[in-house]
Amino acid sequence: MRLLQLSTIIALCLLLIDAQSVHAQVKVATPYSVPSELAPLLKFFQERRVLYQNEDKPLVLPLLFAEDNTRVGMNFKIVMGDKPLGLLKREMVLKNPFAASSFPLSYSIIYQAHLVTLFEPGNFACYNIKTLARNQLLEKQLNKRKFQYHWLLGNQLVGLSGGQYWVQSSVGTWVPYTKPVPFLSKQPKLFEDEHYLSFPTCNGEFGGEVYFYNKQTGQYYLTGATCPNSIIKRNGQYQVLASLGHGGGSSRLQIINAPAKLTRMPPRAKPSPADLVLPEHRQKEVALRVENQTLFYYYGIQMFGSFLHKDQQLFVVRWTDRTFLATVKNHTITIVDPLFNRSLYTHQPVTTSYGPNLSLMNMDFYGLAREKEVSCMLLAGNQIVRIDWGKKRDANF
């Protein structure tokens, strides 16, 4: 009997030792502590009850949402970050200094460390990107002619005036621009490198395209993208981000390794509007998207733009009536900055990189000014400035 009791005690001791060993090997999860910078955003999501896939199954922070039953697109998760970027943010209103019309004639650009905006009646307004103060000396230099549209092409300021293209010379005068201007119409540039100049088209739920114009051969290439808003080139690959607001929203990031392998436009000086709806292109659109490597394709979420900040790729994301900055890795969307803690909406935005930690996001709103820019967001260094043209607007304009 005593031997039986002794053996039982030894067995219990061994079990206790084994249990302690297992416990020592298991790391106890630290409860999520929301950073103060992200707290208002989390509070909004909590109030909107988006922390629950259904009322009976609450998700554990930092998880906000998990799509695991999608029929179209890919599954994804949204989580709160634990290390906010700490970006400085401000908002301001700038007005047309030359006329009563509020909105620019073309999308603003960055030129010679200035935000350069073209207003009616065809004059340039120039704002220092660090102080946003007007540079009237630069304005005087540029406003020797009246312009209808402008671009930055090959780091040169190019404008359309009187049916002719002009370029700002190295000595500060306007001279005729003799290189091709490949745009199909008055439309913004999406991206440019030494090989290609890219621009978007968008027909809403009917689809859109991203065009690559070969600067050496003059040939146009395109592929389906609904609707393209930014291109980042990394490791020789072109990452095209596209997003649409219809049907709850969608976002797709695809890699194009070789634009010359895309659909080639007819060999003429410049495509005509009829070329935008080539039957063979529409038939091949799905195949083209499969051929191009798709990094992600999500429904129920919009991504208005993408840019690099300290070598980290960030996305301007709109979800559940809030717009914020996030990273995307392994189909996990991690919120890293609340932006302005409200919803910002736009239909056909364009985000352009102008160098390390310097990007500009142009924002239109169709119901207010059709395709014209109504706001822009300047991302310079550790600062984000959102500018409304004419007057301050609410979250969704």
Side-chain angles (χ1 to χ4, degrees):
M1 188 68 175
R2 291 182 177 177
L3 290 175
L4 180 61
Q5 290 177 340
L6 181 61
S7 63
T8 302
I9 293 173
I10 292 173
L12 289 174
C13 289
L14 290 174
L15 286 173
L16 180 60
I17 293 171
D18 186 58
Q20 290 176 338
S21 176
V22 171
H23 179 73
Q25 295 175 22
V26 175
K27 291 184 178 180
V28 178
T30 302
Y32 176 73
S33 177
V34 60
S36 59
E37 189 176 346
L38 299 178
L41 188 62
L42 176 59
K43 181 181 178 181
F44 173 82
F45 290 146
Q46 288 173 323
E47 291 174 350
R48 288 293 299 268
R49 300 177 66 84
V50 299
L51 291 179
Y52 303 89
Q53 285 181 298
N54 59 59
E55 293 186 3
D56 298 325
K57 294 182 180 180
L59 299 176
V60 179
L61 290 174
L63 183 65
L64 292 174
F65 176 81
E67 174 62 85
D68 58 5
N69 192 30
T70 182
R71 295 182 179 181
V72 182
M74 301 173 177
N75 294 325
F76 64 94
K77 296 188 297 185
I78 301 177
V79 302
M80 297 294 297
D82 56 4
K83 295 181 180 179
L85 299 177
L87 298 174
L88 302 175
K89 290 176 281 286
R90 63 174 171 144
E91 298 178 273
M92 62 190 306
V93 175
L94 294 176
K95 297 184 177 182
N96 181 349
F98 310 108
S101 177
S102 297
F103 306 119
L105 295 172
S106 49
Y107 277 14
S108 302
I109 65 169
I110 296 176
Y111 173 69
Q112 292 186 356
H114 286 77
L115 179 69
V116 176
T117 303
L118 181 64
F119 284 111
E120 290 186 3
N123 293 347
F124 291 103
C126 304
Y127 306 92
N128 184 288
I129 61 172
K130 291 184 178 180
T131 64
L132 273 304
R134 282 179 63 192
N135 185 335
Q136 293 182 299
L137 289 178
L138 182 57
E139 291 177 2
K140 183 177 180 181
Q141 173 184 315
L142 300 182
N143 290 327
K144 299 294 178 63
R145 310 183 63 90
K146 299 292 184 184
F147 288 87
Q148 292 79 52
Y149 211 90
H150 76 308
W151 304 268
L152 189 73
L153 303 180
N155 293 320
Q156 293 182 295
L157 178 61
V158 176
L160 175 63
S161 174
Q164 184 177 350
Y165 296 109
W166 299 81
V167 61
Q168 183 73 184
S169 71
S170 58
V171 295
T173 59
W174 290 105
V175 297
Y177 187 65
T178 57
K179 296 180 181 179
V181 178
F183 303 100
L184 306 182
S185 61
K186 294 178 182 178
Q187 60 190 141
K189 183 184 77 174
L190 188 61
F191 173 85
E192 184 178 10
D193 64 8
E194 65 273 22
H195 304 296
Y196 293 98
L197 186 151
S198 182
F199 55 91
T201 60
C202 182
N203 301 294
E205 68 268 38
F206 300 105
E209 293 84 20
V210 57
Y211 284 77
F212 287 86
Y213 171 78
N214 189 305
K215 295 160 67 172
Q216 283 72 46
T217 67
Q219 183 65 62
Y220 289 82
Y221 303 90
L222 78 157
T223 189
T226 307
C227 285
N229 58 46
S230 53
I231 295 178
I232 291 179
K233 187 177 181 182
R234 305 186 79 175
N235 302 319
Q237 299 173 319
Y238 299 87
Q239 295 189 11
V240 180
L241 178 65
S243 189
L244 187 68
H246 291 271
S250 62
S251 300
R252 181 194 297 267
L253 183 66
Q254 58 180 325
I255 286 182
I256 297 175
N257 291 305
K261 293 183 178 180
L262 302 177
T263 298
R264 186 172 61 183
M265 297 297 292
R268 60 176 68 133
K270 183 178 291 189
S272 69
D275 293 327
L276 298 180
V277 289
L278 289 172
E280 61 269 26
H281 164 58
R282 292 300 185 193
Q283 293 170 5
K284 293 179 180 178
E285 182 169 329
V286 174
L288 284 167
R289 283 176 167 169
V290 173
E291 180 181 331
N292 300 328
Q293 180 184 354
T294 297
L295 294 184
F296 63 69
Y297 184 25
Y298 305 141
Y299 269 82
I301 192 166
Q302 290 177 263
M303 297 186 182
F304 292 141
S306 181
F307 60 94
L308 294 178
H309 175 73
K310 297 181 180 178
D311 294 326
Q312 184 178 40
Q313 186 168 0
L314 301 178
F315 296 84
V316 182
V317 180
R318 183 177 184 269
W319 177 69
T320 318
D321 289 332
R322 282 295 180 268
T323 305
F324 48 83
L325 294 181
T327 61
V328 181
K329 185 176 181 180
N330 297 328
H331 302 298
T332 296
I333 299 168
T334 302
I335 301 173
V336 294
D337 191 276
L339 280 179
F340 300 96
N341 278 306
R342 63 177 185 272
S343 173
L344 304 175
Y345 197 84
T346 176
H347 293 91
Q348 296 183 33
V350 166
T351 299
T352 306
S353 174
Y354 289 87
N357 303 318
L358 180 61
S359 299
L360 179 66
M361 180 177 175
N362 312 100
M363 305 170 69
D364 71 329
F365 193 83
Y366 194 82
L368 183 61
R370 298 182 71 84
E371 293 88 0
K372 289 185 177 180
E373 176 183 289
V374 300
S375 300
C376 66
M377 197 153 61
L378 177 64
L379 313 134
N382 205 44
Q383 178 176 252
I384 295 182
V385 182
R386 194 179 80 86
I387 300 167
D388 281 331
W389 298 118
K391 65 178 183 179
K392 186 172 178 60
R393 297 178 179 84
D394 62 20
N396 288 304
F397 302 114

